[in-house]
C-alpha cells in the first residue's frame, strides 16, 4: 500500500452530543462552536444529533420548522466551509410544500449541500406505562436512500428509528458504504435497552463502522434523551462513547482494519444470493 493510500485509509470522526434548549439561536451558536472544536482536534467528518436546533417533540416540529436553505442550514454550510469538514447536520424539522419532515442535511468542506436525508421510518411506538410517541401526527416520511462520498469512504445516513430496520443498513452496505451515521434521540425506555445493541448489530452484520449522535440528556425536557453517543467498529466493538452530558466523541476510523475484518470473515462472498436477497424496490 502506498503512503497516500495508507493515509487515506484513516480519518478522524467526531460526534457532537449537544445540550439542546428551546432557544434556536443558542443551539446554533453552540453547535457552531463545537464543530470548530472538533475540527481543531483533527476531525474530517463531524456529526450532530437529531433535532439539534429545537426541542424534540410533535408539539415543537411546526414551530421550529424551516425551509432548506434556511437559518440553520446556512449556519451549517458556513461551519463546514470555515472548518473544512464534512458535516452531517444532525436533523432539523423541515417544511416543504406544506408538509413537515425530520431532515438531515449534509455539507461538504466547501460548504456545498451534498444531500438531505428525510427520516424514512417515523417513530410511532406505544409501550404501555412507559412511553407513547407518534411522529406521524405531524411528520411525513422520506422515501429515498441517502449516501454521500468522501475521499475516505462512502457514508450512509439514517435518522434514529431508521437504525431499527436492518434492511436499510444492508442496502447501504451493498451500495459500498463503510460507515453509517445515525443522528438519533432514543429515550429513557428504549435507550438503555436497545441503543447500543442496535448499533453493534448493524456494524457486525454489515462489517462496517456505525456512529450515532444523540442530544445530551435534559431531565427537565418533555422528551428526555438517553445520550450515550457512540462509535462502533466492524467487529461490533464500541470504540468510543460518552455518558449523558454534553460532549464531543472522537473515533479514528481505520478502513484497512475494516478490509481486514471483511477478508477474515468473508460474509459478502458467502451470502446465498441464490436463496435470498435484500434489494431496493425502486432506484431513487
Amino acid at each position: 500500500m502506498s503512503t497516500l493510500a495508507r493515509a487515506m485509509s484513516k480519518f478522524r470522526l467526531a460526534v457532537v452530543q449537544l445540550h439542546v434548549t428551546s432557544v434556536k439561536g443558542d443551539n446554533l451558536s453552540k453547535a457552531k462552536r463545537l464543530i470548530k472544536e472538533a475540527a481543531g482536534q483533527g476531525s474530517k467528518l463531524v456529526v450532530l444529533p437529531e433535532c439539534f436546533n429545537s426541542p424534540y417533540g410533535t408539539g415543537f416540529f411546526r414551530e421550529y420548522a424551516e425551509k432548506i436553505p434556511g437559518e440553520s442550514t446556512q449556519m451549517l454550510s458556513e461551519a463546514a466551509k470555515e472548518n473544512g469538514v464534512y458535516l452531517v447536520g444532525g436533523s432539523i424539522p423541515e417544511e416543504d410544500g406544506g408538509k413537515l419532515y425530520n431532515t438531515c442535511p449534509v455539507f461538504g468542506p466547501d460548504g456545498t449541500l451534498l444531500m438531505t436525508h428525510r427520516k424514512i421510518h417515523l417513530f410511532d411506538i406505544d409501550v404501555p406505562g412507559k412511553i407513547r410517541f407518534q411522529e406521524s401526527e405531524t411528520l411525513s416520511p422520506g422515501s429515498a436512500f441517502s449516501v454521500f462520498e468522501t475521499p475516505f469512504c462512502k457514508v450512509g445516513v439514517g435518522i434514529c428509528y431508521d437504525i431499527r430496520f436492518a434492511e436499510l443498513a444492508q442496502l447501504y452496505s451493498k451500495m459500498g458504504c463503510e460507515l453509517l451515521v445515525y443522528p438519533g434521540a432514543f429515550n429513557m425506555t428504549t435507550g438503555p435497552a436497545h441503543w447500543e445493541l442496535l448499533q453493534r448489530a448493524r456494524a457486525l452484520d454489515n462489517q462496517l463502522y456505525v456512529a450515532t449522535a444523540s442530544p445530551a440528556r435534559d431531565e427537565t425536557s418533555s422528551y428526555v434523551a438517553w445520550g450515550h453517543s457512540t462509535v462502533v467498529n466492524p467487529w461490533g466493538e464500541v470504540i468510543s462513547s460518552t455518558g449523558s452530558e454534553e460532549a464531543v466523541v472522537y473515533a479514528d476510523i481505520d478502513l484497512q482494519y475494516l478490509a481486514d475484518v471483511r477478508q477474515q470473515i468473508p460474509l459478502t462472498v458467502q451470502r446465498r444470493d441464490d436463496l435470498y436477497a435484500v434489494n431496493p424496490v425502486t432506484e431513487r
Side-chain angles (χ1 to χ4, degrees):
M1 182 184 293
S2 69
T3 302
L4 177 61
R6 279 195 300 272
M8 296 300 284
S9 73
K10 294 184 179 181
F11 68 97
R12 174 159 284 193
L13 166 72
V15 175
V16 176
Q17 183 161 291
L18 181 73
H19 179 251
V20 178
T21 74
S22 60
V23 182
K24 182 185 288 189
D26 291 350
N27 297 330
L28 298 184
S29 296
K30 187 181 294 184
K32 191 169 187 178
R33 175 176 59 80
L34 292 174
I35 293 164
K36 182 177 182 179
E37 178 183 316
Q41 294 297 315
S43 304
K44 301 301 182 185
L45 193 156
V46 181
V47 186
L48 296 179
E50 182 180 23
C51 281
F52 85 92
N53 69 340
S54 73
Y56 179 77
T58 55
F60 299 107
F61 293 143
R62 187 166 297 280
E63 177 186 352
Y64 286 82
E66 302 177 16
K67 292 187 179 296
I68 295 177
E71 179 185 4
S72 297
T73 50
Q74 180 62 31
M75 182 282 290
L76 294 172
S77 173
E78 292 171 358
K81 185 174 182 179
E82 289 170 6
N83 295 288
V85 296
Y86 286 89
L87 179 58
V88 178
S91 80
I92 65 170
E94 178 202 4
E95 189 279 321
D96 183 32
K99 292 184 177 182
L100 299 180
Y101 301 92
N102 190 344
T103 302
C104 174
V106 178
F107 295 86
D110 61 354
T112 300
L113 179 65
L114 300 179
M115 49 144 276
T116 57
H117 174 76
R118 289 172 170 170
K119 191 173 189 176
I120 295 173
H121 305 92
L122 296 184
F123 181 53
D124 285 3
I125 70 165
D126 189 353
V127 182
K130 294 185 177 180
I131 183 172
R132 180 184 184 278
F133 200 96
Q134 302 288 311
E135 275 191 326
S136 63
E137 290 175 352
T138 53
L139 299 180
S140 296
S143 58
F145 306 122
S146 302
V147 171
F148 68 97
E149 299 267 6
T150 75
F152 309 100
C153 68
K154 190 177 288 187
V155 183
V157 181
I159 298 175
C160 201
Y161 203 53
D162 285 340
I163 199 172
R164 287 188 179 271
F165 297 85
E167 299 89 344
L168 180 62
Q170 291 170 28
L171 286 169
Y172 282 161
S173 179
K174 289 181 72 171
M175 292 175 187
C177 294
E178 295 177 306
L179 167 65
L180 303 184
V181 294
Y182 294 94
F186 273 41
N187 54 69
M188 299 299 291
T189 296
T190 60
H194 301 148
W195 179 244
E196 181 182 309
L197 176 64
L198 285 164
Q199 296 170 62
R200 296 183 67 191
R202 298 295 84 84
L204 184 62
D205 284 350
N206 299 288
Q207 299 178 312
L208 41 65
Y209 286 91
V210 170
T212 57
S214 170
R217 190 180 308 167
D218 180 355
E219 300 283 358
T220 67
S221 66
S222 58
Y223 181 94
V224 182
W226 171 239
H228 295 272
S229 299
T230 300
V231 183
V232 179
N233 72 14
W235 196 254
E237 299 169 321
V238 173
I239 57 173
S240 191
S241 187
T242 190
S244 62
E245 71 286 349
E246 184 169 274
V248 181
V249 178
Y250 298 97
D252 292 318
I253 304 301
D254 186 344
L255 300 172
Q256 182 57 53
Y257 173 75
L258 180 150
D260 291 343
V261 168
R262 291 182 174 183
Q263 182 177 31
Q264 293 161 9
I265 305 178
L267 298 181
T268 301
V269 297
Q270 294 172 333
R271 215 165 251 124
R272 288 293 303 274
D273 292 329
D274 59 320
L275 295 178
Y276 55 82
V278 174
N279 294 303
V281 174
T282 57
E283 293 294 336
R284 295 182 184 270

